[in-house]
Amino acid sequence: QLPTELPTSTVTIDGSCYTGKIPTEFGLLTKTTELKIANNAITGSIPTEIGYMTSVTELNIANNAITGSIPTEVGGMTRVTTGGVVATDFSQFMSSNKLTSSIPSQLGRMTEFKQSMNLFAMSLSSTIPTEVGKLDK
């Protein structure tokens, strides 16, 4: 299970064989700058509370078994510059998961993103929102 009490600057639980859901309490970590929980067996949906982590500059939740939709609140993480989500159908910062639904237009507010936002290995169903298409990288 993922812990709910973590240090405030960096959360790295990468490749640690964690199972369970992303705790809603992560939303309380408003000063955390890095959230890296990739390469585990995390299930469930991305909690909307994750959008409260507005200090995050590096986000990686790739290669898990996360399901559901991408919460619009993720767009509030406007400081994210790098990330990975491989295997969840939402880029290299959310990719390689089992995410479905459409791409929220709010992701267009992530204007600090410095790398490609690869939305692959998922079952997203929509066109790319105009707001996301205007991102520089």
Side-chain angles (χ1 to χ4, degrees):
Q1 293 291 89
L2 286 171
T4 57
E5 294 183 21
L6 299 165
T8 57
S9 63
T10 301
V11 176
T12 301
I13 306 172
D14 192 352
S16 301
C17 300
Y18 276 97
T19 60
K21 298 179 179 184
I22 300 172
T24 57
E25 291 86 354
F26 275 21
L28 300 173
L29 303 173
T30 57
K31 304 238 186 274
T32 298
T33 58
E34 296 179 13
L35 177 59
K36 297 185 262 185
I37 55 174
N39 306 306
N40 288 290
I42 298 169
T43 58
S45 60
I46 299 170
T48 57
E49 291 83 357
I50 203 167
Y52 300 141
M53 300 178 74
T54 56
S55 297
V56 169
T57 58
E58 186 171 348
L59 173 65
N60 190 340
I61 60 173
N63 298 313
N64 283 291
I66 298 169
T67 57
S69 61
I70 301 165
T72 57
E73 290 81 0
V74 171
M77 303 173 83
T78 57
R79 295 182 183 178
V80 172
T81 59
T82 61
V85 187
V86 175
T88 42
D89 292 68
F90 175 74
S91 103
Q92 182 69 17
F93 84 99
M94 286 194 199
S95 60
S96 299
N97 282 288
K98 297 177 182 176
L99 295 173
T100 56
S101 78
S102 59
I103 302 167
S105 62
Q106 290 82 353
L107 296 185
R109 296 188 315 198
M110 300 175 91
T111 56
E112 297 298 315
F113 214 85
K114 303 286 189 237
Q115 66 184 40
S116 298
M117 187 180 282
N118 303 310
L119 301 172
F120 65 89
M122 295 188 281
S123 299
L124 297 175
S125 59
S126 73
T127 58
I128 298 171
T130 306
E131 296 83 354
V132 174
K134 291 180 182 178
L135 293 173
D136 288 340
K137 304 288 183 236

